Amino acid sequence: MTQEMIVLEKINKSFSGVPVINNLSFMVHQGEILGFLGPNGSGKTTTIRLLNGVITPDSGRLTVAGFNPVTAGDEVRKRCGVLTESAAFYGPMTARENLLFFADLYAVATPTRRVDELLHACGLTPHADKKVAVFSTGMKKRLGIAKALLHQPEILFLDEPTTGLDPEGARTLLDYIQELNRRFGVTIILATHLLKQVETLCHRFIFIDQGRLLADGTFAELAEKYLTAINLQVETDLEITGTEFQGFPLEKNTPGFLQFKVERKEQIPFLLKALLASGSVYSAQIYGRDLETLYFRIKEEKA
Amino acid sequence: MNKRAAKAIINKDIRAIGSNIQLWLPMLIVPLVFSLVLPLVLVLPARFTDLSTMGNIEQIVKLFSKLSSGPLQETIMALPLAQQQIVYFTVNYLFAPFFLIIPLMVASIIGANSFAGEKERKTLETLLFAPLDLNTLLWAKILAAFLPATFLTLICSFLYGITVNIAAYPLFGRIIFPEVNWLLLLLWVTPALSLGAVFVNVFISAKVKGFQEAFQLSGLVILPVLGLFIGQLSGVLLVNSIFLWWSGAVLWLIDFLLVRKCGRFLNRNQLFTSQVS
Ligand SMILES: Nc1ncnc2c1ncn2[C@@H]1O[C@H](COP(=O)(O)OP(=O)(O)OP(=O)(O)O)[C@@H](O)[C@H]1O
Ligand SMILES: [Mg+2]
């Protein structure tokens, strides 16, 4: 985490008078995997377009790999690989023809070899010579990923890369992303709604809503700040009446399971000891220390 | 200008025309009618019917003497038979406008489709994400329309030449087409006109949302020009080679200016935004 690869400073963008990005500032370090999160229409795709110089901001400053996408767009685009929902391929051409075409645009040195390599890596080899028009959603997505990787970019923008992929496809892709990051230090911006998938993959998270930055930090930092209370679910034979047990408030009480609210995790051993003193505990599990809870907590807090 | 990218785009576009039957069928049928069917329909009856039985043949022949003077008129007047005069006139004069219409039509259809087609298929954004300067993209799109238009025109003139010469040979005993002026028309004026048409259409195509809008708008722009041009041309075009040289030169100059200035009116942001509105 040394150099700043991407910097946004007070970016504003509106479409026909409607503001979509509002004073947005954040940065991404070299070699980082950034989870870029926010509800539908919050401006994630717009931000990715701005960073690639496809659209220009109304005000503010952008830097990507040391270049300004507005004035040196092609330098930026040479270094970036992009997958977005809205960018399509040529239907009457096969997967291979599409990739070879883009290999020319991206000045790939050994196109045939690189294309074969990526077709294989993305599991498209059996479909390489089918027309893209007949591709399923997931196959198109795989092709999009292959295109994004053609020129071995330093920065990878992935806009909902796993939506529409089958579970094994999603798993393979996420592993592959991680490997690209580890082996080649590729900086990755990952916009997604599938929070579970990226919880452990991303080094840091940015939350935006209505084009505004809501939160920015590692999972631990954000959890520290927003996940103040812990929910502990205990599987036990103990039956309790009332709303608390030895000072620990009871959140949920279902046969065989009790859910407690704990202020700090240091209190957990004391709760467990108290429970064991009066009954059996078969399992204990922390609830709500995940990205999804974090997402909702941040949205609530900032609403 | 990025040659490799330009070549890839031109290749892709020209191959896409081939695979889009709706696009190339009208582009092929109309020229074939003009260069094969129509000449035969007009030349053969003139050859085989006895024209002297027609009442107003004298009037038609008299018209020739009223043509503005020049090599064509001289040649026609020097022909001994009324039949020969009429056939010669038809072959070398009446068909001239078609060889302006064919490239204009092809240039308009392909040009109007150039950016608009990419927008409709949502592939424009994929292109805009690539490290591809707009100048290269624009030139590739221009050439991808200009080359087929020019190629098709030359093929058609070739077919036309063969058809009319075969059909008229027994009447003249020599080849009557092309005249020098025709070569000027086909190799100097027509390419300049198609390049201009391509340019206008590609430019419109970049500005509007879809092919329909592009094609309609291009009709609005191209048709008046066409009417004006062909009206004027039919009068003097093939009669006067100086005029041909000049009109070609003026068209090339206009093309040059358009192409020089156009880069400024295109930018990524505008191209992207034009997809939605
Ligand atoms: N070209 C455009 N013209 C007008 N409005 C636009 C344009 N592009 C985006 N918007 C608007 O900007 C807002 C943000 O859109 P954007 O696609 O960036 O959201 P997103 O965060 O990617 O959403 P999702 O999670 O659904 O993909 C939306 O309200 C959208 O309607
Ligand atoms: Mg989006």
Side-chain angles (χ1 to χ4, degrees):
Chain A
M1 310 283 151
T2 45
Q3 223 179 318
E4 292 154 5
M5 206 58 167
I6 295 176
V7 185
L8 290 89
E9 285 171 83
K10 302 198 163 115
I11 296 299
N12 284 286
K13 174 75 184 174
S14 47
F15 288 112
S16 36
V18 183
V20 168
I21 302 293
N22 288 298
N23 212 23
L24 185 63
S25 307
F26 67 84
M27 58 187 168
V28 189
H29 299 107
Q30 184 169 21
E32 201 170 32
I33 304 182
L34 180 86
F36 192 29
L37 312 177
N40 292 137
S42 56
K44 302 181 296 294
T45 305
T46 305
T47 306
I48 291 176
R49 288 178 181 141
L50 284 166
L51 286 170
N52 282 278
V54 169
I55 50 178
T56 39
D58 300 338
S59 65
R61 242 188 48 179
L62 295 169
T63 313
V64 179
F67 295 95
N68 180 346
V70 180
T71 53
D74 286 328
E75 292 304 319
V76 170
R77 288 183 285 270
K78 268 180 211 165
R79 293 163 173 82
C80 295
V82 190
L83 167 76
T84 66
E85 198 89 325
S86 47
F89 288 94
Y90 298 97
M93 286 159 56
T94 66
R96 190 191 305 277
E97 286 167 346
N98 267 286
L99 288 179
L100 286 171
F101 169 71
F102 284 103
D104 280 337
L105 298 197
Y106 281 94
V108 174
T110 50
T112 337
R113 224 186 60 205
R114 182 72 182 145
V115 166
D116 278 337
E117 218 171 271
L118 284 169
L119 282 169
H120 180 75
C122 295
L124 282 174
T125 310
H127 311 294
D129 298 308
K130 281 186 197 160
K131 288 187 174 176
V132 172
V134 305
F135 269 25
S136 69
T137 319
M139 281 153 75
K140 280 185 200 150
K141 186 75 82 180
R142 287 161 189 255
L143 184 59
I145 293 156
K147 187 226 82 177
L149 296 171
L150 267 175
H151 55 305
Q152 297 173 304
E154 291 169 43
I155 305 175
L156 204 48
F157 293 93
L158 300 173
D159 196 357
E160 305 185 27
T162 53
T163 324
L165 286 188
D166 50 33
E168 50 270 49
R171 193 68 272 148
T172 316
L173 174 65
L174 295 173
D175 289 346
Y176 192 67
I177 289 172
Q178 191 148 39
E179 193 185 314
L180 282 176
N181 173 262
R182 286 205 180 131
R183 280 187 41 197
F184 305 108
V186 179
T187 308
I188 296 166
I189 290 82
L190 197 75
T192 185
H193 299 292
L194 301 168
L195 305 176
K196 265 221 163 55
Q197 284 185 349
V198 299
E199 187 172 321
T200 53
L201 177 66
C202 297
H203 303 138
R204 199 157 60 88
F205 297 93
I206 297 269
F207 287 80
I208 65 168
D209 193 8
Q210 298 181 342
R212 283 192 189 82
L213 185 75
L214 295 189
D216 172 355
T218 63
F219 183 77
E221 285 166 2
L222 293 169
E224 176 79 18
K225 194 164 167 198
Y226 293 96
L227 297 180
T228 40
I230 297 164
N231 268 325
L232 187 75
Q233 175 163 291
V234 185
E235 190 181 358
T236 174
D237 59 0
L238 207 63
E239 282 172 24
I240 294 173
T241 48
T243 57
E244 54 129 45
F245 175 73
Q246 301 205 356
F248 292 101
L250 198 58
E251 284 279 292
K252 233 162 140 193
N253 189 345
T254 45
F257 289 96
L258 298 172
Q259 220 181 83
F260 294 97
K261 193 167 183 171
V262 186
E263 288 304 321
R264 284 176 296 112
K265 64 178 177 203
E266 287 76 16
Q267 295 177 318
I268 294 174
F270 295 103
L271 171 61
L272 288 178
K273 265 182 210 153
L275 285 168
L276 282 168
S278 21
S280 312
V281 171
Y282 307 113
S283 72
Q285 200 174 1
I286 289 179
Y287 264 74
R289 260 190 96 74
D290 57 10
L291 196 57
E292 191 170 303
T293 318
L294 192 59
Y295 177 93
F296 287 117
R297 285 289 300 124
I298 288 173
K299 269 202 77 181
E300 261 169 49
E301 190 121 328
K302 302 278 177 162
Chain B
M1 179 90 165
N2 172 348
K3 283 216 188 82
R4 182 175 170 193
K7 225 174 102 188
I9 295 170
I10 294 171
N11 256 329
K12 165 189 83 67
D13 277 7
I14 291 181
R15 277 206 272 153
I17 299 168
S19 66
N20 187 347
I21 202 168
Q22 280 176 326
L23 212 61
W24 63 254
L25 205 60
M27 289 195 312
L28 217 60
I29 285 180
V30 177
L32 280 183
V33 168
F34 280 143
S35 53
L36 287 178
V37 183
L38 219 53
L40 288 180
V41 167
L42 288 176
V43 171
L44 290 182
R47 228 181 78 193
F48 291 120
T49 45
D50 185 3
L51 290 173
S52 52
T53 59
M54 284 167 65
N56 49 5
I57 189 71
E58 294 298 313
Q59 259 90 31
I60 297 176
V61 173
K62 238 187 238 161
L63 260 176
F64 295 145
S65 59
K66 292 201 186 112
L67 282 173
S68 36
S69 57
L72 181 71
Q73 194 220 16
E74 279 164 29
T75 320
I76 289 180
M77 295 314 285
L79 289 170
L81 293 175
Q83 265 169 329
Q84 287 178 327
Q85 289 185 336
I86 288 176
V87 169
Y88 196 91
F89 176 76
T90 312
V91 165
N92 275 305
Y93 184 88
L94 272 188
F95 274 85
F98 296 138
F99 290 89
L100 293 167
I101 292 174
I102 290 171
L104 273 180
M105 185 188 76
V106 177
S108 300
I109 295 176
I110 305 181
N113 192 44
S114 61
F115 281 105
E118 304 265 3
K119 290 178 200 177
E120 285 184 351
R121 287 171 192 80
K122 306 263 177 235
T123 46
L124 182 65
E125 190 172 358
T126 325
L127 284 183
L128 294 181
F129 273 123
L132 172 70
D133 60 299
L134 288 187
N135 232 4
T136 300
L137 182 58
L138 185 68
W139 267 105
K141 288 295 183 188
I142 288 176
L143 287 176
F146 177 73
L147 295 178
T150 308
F151 182 70
L152 192 69
T153 312
L154 291 179
I155 295 275
C156 283
S157 351
F158 189 70
L159 288 179
Y160 176 74
I162 290 181
T163 315
V164 294
N165 279 319
I166 289 177
Y169 193 81
L171 191 61
F172 290 85
R174 64 178 175 91
I175 285 171
I176 57 163
F177 177 92
E179 289 213 313
V180 181
N181 280 358
W182 268 90
L183 294 179
L184 261 181
L185 177 77
L186 289 173
L187 301 177
W188 176 246
V189 181
T190 303
L193 190 66
S194 8
L195 185 60
V198 166
F199 180 80
V200 170
N201 277 286
V202 168
F203 191 71
I204 290 174
S205 188
K207 294 286 172 190
V208 301
K209 191 173 157 193
F211 178 73
Q212 289 301 332
E213 292 98 315
F215 200 60
Q216 279 160 12
L217 200 56
S218 103
L220 280 183
V221 177
I222 298 284
L223 282 182
V225 177
L226 195 71
L228 200 93
F229 211 75
I230 287 172
Q232 290 303 306
L233 275 176
S234 309
V236 253
L237 189 68
L238 284 170
V239 184
N240 191 334
S241 41
I242 305 285
F243 183 81
L244 277 177
W245 278 113
W246 272 109
S247 47
V250 169
L251 283 171
W252 281 116
L253 183 71
I254 294 174
D255 290 345
F256 176 76
L257 291 177
L258 284 175
V259 167
R260 281 269 321 256
K261 297 283 173 197
C262 66
R264 275 176 232 183
F265 299 103
L266 273 193
N267 65 61
R268 266 189 160 69
N269 189 57
Q270 178 276 319
L271 263 180
F272 177 83
T273 321
S274 68
Q275 295 176 104
V276 277
S277 52

